[in-house]
Amino acid sequence: NLSAFHQKKLQKLHDKYSTIFEWGGDIPPKAQRFFSSYAIWTRLTGDDAVPIIQSDIWDVFCDYLDLYIDILKCTEALKSGDGVDEGEKVLKELHVGHKNYLDYRKENDPARPMLQSLYGKEW
């Protein structure tokens, strides 16, 4: 769980950028558990997609990454009164969450059937 301070910063980032980019459509139900309600989700098409990624999307990425790094730094410093390292527990939860998402993407990548047909199931 985020501190109120970080929650507010995340809300501000979302408010700032969600008005710039068109909503990218519904996230598949199986994937929704991996995404925050503050995620910026868009789909870019056309010739201007690359310049938008190189400028606007890059700015969004950097701002969200900076906040994520700040959250990690604060999490590492957490200690409870009984000596339990709360930061370590949170970091382990984050690691498990990242691994679960990567496993989900590996199994549900839209290009998976094509890649398997070209390179075999072990690829």
Side-chain angles (χ1 to χ4, degrees):
N1 293 335
L2 290 178
S3 69
F5 172 77
H6 286 112
Q7 184 82 22
K8 189 169 190 101
K9 287 182 83 168
L10 186 57
Q11 173 79 48
K12 284 182 180 180
L13 282 178
H14 184 264
D15 291 348
K16 175 182 176 181
Y17 290 116
S18 64
T19 59
I20 297 172
F21 300 105
E22 186 176 323
W23 175 247
D26 292 338
I27 295 171
K30 290 168 87 176
Q32 287 176 0
R33 67 186 174 118
F34 299 112
F35 292 89
S36 163
S37 58
Y38 298 119
I40 300 298
W41 170 242
T42 192
R43 293 178 191 260
L44 301 174
T45 58
D47 294 337
D48 60 344
V50 172
I52 290 171
I53 290 168
Q54 292 172 332
S55 59
D56 298 329
I57 299 291
W58 180 251
D59 293 342
V60 174
F61 172 77
C62 289
D63 284 350
Y64 272 76
L65 181 61
D66 287 345
L67 178 58
Y68 182 72
I69 290 169
D70 186 51
I71 291 168
L72 289 177
K73 286 178 182 176
C74 290
T75 300
E76 288 178 335
L78 289 176
K79 296 274 187 194
S80 69
D82 59 3
V84 175
D85 187 342
E86 293 297 321
E88 187 175 322
K89 285 173 39 179
V90 171
L91 290 173
K92 283 182 182 178
E93 289 174 14
L94 286 172
H95 179 76
V96 168
H98 284 279
K99 184 179 180 327
N100 288 343
Y101 178 71
L102 291 174
D103 289 344
Y104 166 81
R105 289 300 304 164
K106 184 171 56 175
E107 294 299 317
N108 295 282
D109 188 325
R112 183 182 172 106
M114 177 197 64
L115 294 171
Q116 285 180 339
S117 69
L118 291 171
Y119 303 108
K121 288 187 178 191
E122 295 302 314
W123 188 86

